[in-house]
């Protein structure tokens, strides 16, 4: 993010990214808190200890001085709030990814509307309501926690590089010098997830990006290591609670909520 001067306690801007700028795609941090709402497209975010995926209708709160970077492989439309440090002291101090409510989306749209200026009192009231709504939202399951243990990191790094691998923990253990039981324990301790849960989150992130790019079920089955397009479709419906065709059409054709009038 380029430096910005805040006229208020929060700077609200609309951004359309055809791709992520170079300075956003390398690890960086800044003294301002940052709230990002995705209206169209798919955005990948990263910190040293987790990856996350944002689809339309999702938002992330990034506290001040948090090292982060992003990746976008197609057009992404965003509403971004940069929050002054003084306001962030009373706000959640950890990165939070969540599904935005209709109220959050509406508040962001109104705060970003420069054609109808808000009084300082009303603006502050709306910001406070926005912060309270963000605090109440449950965390999304589209975050991918990253481990610190060197043995487990070899496993997760390898899977991220090649999601088609279908090895059990016993086989991974032979490769990294640990027992199956040790790796299972480390997955729960360092990521909060079982091995299969972690793998499903990784595959889901890759699947969402493929669907945003219009990839067919057959193509996605090759990318993710499934035996067929039907097999991928059954898996996606089970873990995402929706069908690939609906998501593909949704991502490519329109916003999930009306932001253009």
């Amino acid at each position: 993010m380029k430096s910005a001067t805040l006229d208020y306690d929060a700077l609200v801007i609309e951004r359309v990214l055809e791709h992520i700028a170079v300075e956003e795609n390398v690890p960086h941090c800044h003294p301002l808190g940052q709230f990002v709402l995705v209206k169209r497209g798919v955005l990948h975010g990263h910190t040293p200890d987790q990856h996350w995926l944002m689809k339309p209708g999702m938002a992330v709160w990034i506290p001040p001085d948090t090292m982060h970077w992003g990746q976008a492989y197609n057009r992404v439309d965003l509403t971004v709030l940069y929050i002054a440090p003084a306001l962030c002291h009373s706000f959640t101090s950890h990165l939070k990814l969540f599904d935005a409510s209709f109220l959050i989306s509406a508040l962001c749209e109104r705060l970003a509307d420069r054609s109808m200026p808000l009084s300082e009192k009303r603006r502050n009231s709306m910001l406070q309501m926005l912060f309270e709504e963000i605090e109440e939202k449950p965390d999304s399951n589209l975050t991918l926690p990253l481990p610190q243990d060197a043995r487990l990191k070899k496993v997760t790094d390898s899977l991220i590089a090649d999601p088609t691998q279908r090895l059990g923990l016993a086989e991974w253990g032979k490769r990294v010098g640990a027992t199956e039981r040790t790796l299972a324990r480390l997955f729960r301790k360092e990521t909060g997830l079982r091995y299969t849960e972690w793998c499903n989150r990784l595959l889901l992130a890759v699947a969402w990006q493929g669907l945003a790019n219009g990839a067919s079920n057959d193509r996605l089955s090759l990318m993710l290591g499934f035996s067929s397009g039907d097999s991928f479709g059954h898996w996606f419906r089970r873990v995402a609670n929706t069908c690939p065709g609906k998501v593909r059409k949704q991502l490519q054709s329109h916003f999930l909520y009306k932001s253009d009038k």
Side-chain angles (χ1 to χ4, degrees):
M1 184 201 76
K2 295 182 174 66
S3 60
T5 301
L6 297 184
D7 296 324
Y8 300 93
D9 288 331
L11 173 68
V12 187
I13 60 175
E14 299 281 291
R15 299 182 68 180
V16 176
L17 305 178
E18 297 298 340
H19 57 82
I20 290 289
V22 172
E23 63 267 23
E24 300 283 359
N25 201 24
V26 297
H28 64 280
C29 61
H30 39 73
L32 303 176
Q34 188 173 359
F35 169 82
V36 180
L37 171 67
V38 174
K39 299 191 294 182
R40 182 178 183 180
V42 173
L43 181 68
H44 295 263
H46 309 273
T47 64
D49 59 359
Q50 65 181 308
H51 297 330
W52 69 89
L53 176 136
M54 297 175 66
K55 54 190 177 66
M58 290 191 68
V60 66
W61 163 250
I62 305 173
D65 301 314
T66 299
M67 187 67 66
H68 63 282
W69 62 101
Q71 290 175 301
Y73 303 99
N74 49 18
R75 171 175 165 157
V76 183
D77 291 19
L78 310 169
T79 298
V80 183
L81 282 73
Y82 296 113
I83 312 297
L87 278 185
C88 298
H89 293 315
S90 59
F91 202 36
T92 181
S93 60
H94 69 278
L95 186 143
K96 183 173 184 176
L97 179 74
F98 56 93
D99 292 311
S101 63
F102 177 80
L103 178 56
I104 288 175
S105 299
L107 286 168
C108 288
E109 186 173 352
R110 181 65 185 92
L111 286 164
D113 186 358
R114 297 177 182 273
S115 66
M116 299 176 63
L118 294 164
S119 68
E120 184 175 355
K121 180 179 179 180
R122 190 175 180 198
R123 179 187 175 86
N124 289 340
S125 296
M126 294 178 72
L127 284 170
Q128 184 60 40
M129 186 181 298
L130 175 64
F131 296 159
E132 291 173 358
E133 187 75 2
I134 292 171
E135 288 274 17
E136 291 179 359
K137 295 294 291 181
D139 290 1
S140 168
N141 64 357
L142 287 179
T143 56
L144 188 69
L146 301 177
Q148 297 299 313
D149 181 88
R151 295 162 297 177
L152 193 58
K153 193 172 186 303
K154 288 179 182 178
V155 176
T156 55
D157 285 352
S158 181
L159 286 166
I160 290 170
D162 180 10
T164 64
Q165 299 177 88
R166 291 293 185 271
L167 300 178
L169 284 180
E171 180 60 33
W172 280 119
K174 294 176 184 178
R175 297 189 178 195
V176 302
T179 66
E180 178 180 5
R181 184 175 179 180
T182 295
L183 289 181
R185 177 179 57 81
L186 286 171
F187 257 107
R188 291 191 297 271
K189 178 183 177 181
E190 299 214 358
T191 72
L193 302 170
R194 296 193 303 269
Y195 173 58
T196 53
E197 292 172 331
W198 191 93
C199 289
N200 276 338
R201 288 199 185 187
L202 170 64
L203 296 177
L204 196 58
V206 179
W208 273 98
Q209 182 59 58
L211 291 168
N213 292 335
S216 67
N217 284 9
D218 287 340
R219 172 60 181 159
L220 286 166
S221 71
L222 293 174
M223 292 169 58
L224 300 175
F226 290 95
S227 59
S228 67
D230 286 343
S231 178
F232 162 76
H234 290 313
W235 170 83
F236 189 85
R237 283 190 288 272
R238 176 173 60 83
V239 299
N241 200 31
T242 187
C243 65
K246 181 178 180 180
V247 171
R248 189 181 293 110
K249 181 178 179 181
Q250 206 171 49
L251 288 173
Q252 293 193 321
S253 62
H254 57 78
F255 296 102
L256 288 189
Y257 64 91
K258 275 191 180 179
S259 62
D260 52 340
K261 306 232 174 164

